[in-house]
Amino acid sequence: SATTINYMNSLNDPRIADFYAANPAAAGAYYGELQGDYKALSGQPNNFAGVSTEIISPTASTRFLTASESQFLQAEAAVRGYLPGGSGSAAASYAAGITASFASWTNSSTASPSAYMAQSAVNFSNASSTAAQLNLILTQKWLSMCGNQNFEAWTEWRRTRIPTFFTQSVASQIAAGQFPQRLVYPSAELNNNTSYPGSKSINTAVWWDIN
């Protein structure tokens, strides 16, 4: 996905080598495919990165609730006023979330989370408003889930609408600027489930999604 790879490249994020395998034709660089561009509608060269063996292999870990996710949840709760300590506690949990994510992968475990967090686009001290702090926390949470907690990352986006830089699939069949909000019911539900609630559009929000 160009969405993730381009953002990670912009931050010199060392986890990119943990999440992706560079295409041999890319000379060590990481390139992502535009969403939905499987038919090369954009004319991009076919040098897209693949999925790394850390993400998909017979021995890859299955991650349910990671240390980094726990820390990001605590950071969000502090910013929203659900925990004592306010922004100070949020900053500490935010840093701990990034640090825990770095430590859990091979390439990034040898990198410096402090140097990464010193960048303007990642530095929590640069976020003076609640909205800016939540944007940092939830964007970094989304990055930490890349390839290893995919459904959770999608759920978090639907809950918060962060990150804000998603782009619609170039092959999308729904209205401009809209994104899938649910998995559609298969025909087996209609045929076999007497409690089937009826067909729902792919861009109709699920019951808990109030955004």
Side-chain angles (χ1 to χ4, degrees):
S1 169
T3 302
T4 310
I5 288 179
N6 290 349
Y7 192 70
M8 296 186 81
N9 278 330
S10 74
L11 298 178
N12 296 308
D13 195 316
R15 291 172 293 185
I16 197 168
D18 297 304
F19 299 156
Y20 297 100
N23 190 310
Y30 293 86
Y31 297 101
E33 185 174 17
L34 295 177
Q35 299 301 120
D37 198 27
Y38 60 94
K39 292 185 178 179
L41 300 176
S42 68
Q44 292 184 105
N46 186 14
N47 57 357
F48 309 124
V51 182
S52 77
T53 55
E54 281 203 74
I55 294 295
I56 184 168
S57 77
T59 57
S61 298
T62 298
R63 301 174 183 229
F64 293 104
L65 179 62
T66 63
S68 59
E69 182 181 0
S70 173
Q71 292 293 342
F72 289 130
L73 285 167
Q74 292 174 67
E76 179 185 356
V79 168
R80 294 189 187 278
Y82 302 150
L83 294 177
S87 61
S89 173
S93 293
Y94 172 77
I98 293 175
T99 301
S101 178
F102 271 45
S104 67
W105 300 101
T106 301
N107 186 68
S108 60
S109 66
T110 60
S112 170
S114 297
Y116 177 78
M117 287 184 279
Q119 298 178 97
S120 177
V122 187
N123 195 326
F124 196 80
S125 63
N126 291 340
S128 56
S129 68
T130 296
Q133 291 172 353
L134 288 174
N135 186 64
L136 281 180
I137 292 166
L138 294 165
T139 299
Q140 284 297 321
K141 184 180 185 181
W142 169 77
L143 277 178
S144 73
M145 293 177 170
C146 179
N148 62 92
Q149 289 177 281
N150 298 320
F151 194 88
E152 185 77 6
W154 181 38
T155 299
E156 284 292 272
W157 175 81
R158 288 180 292 165
R159 178 177 72 88
T160 67
R161 294 302 188 268
I162 298 172
T164 60
F165 48 76
F166 288 179
T167 58
Q168 191 177 39
S169 166
V170 298
S172 178
Q173 299 298 306
I174 58 180
Q178 294 189 5
F179 298 90
Q181 304 294 328
R182 61 166 65 228
L183 298 176
V184 296
Y185 289 108
S187 58
E189 289 295 319
L190 172 63
N191 296 331
N192 303 316
N193 184 356
T194 57
S195 299
Y196 172 66
S199 297
K200 300 288 184 180
S201 169
I202 196 171
N203 59 330
T204 299
V206 292
W207 64 269
W208 52 260
D209 184 359
I210 62 174
N211 290 309

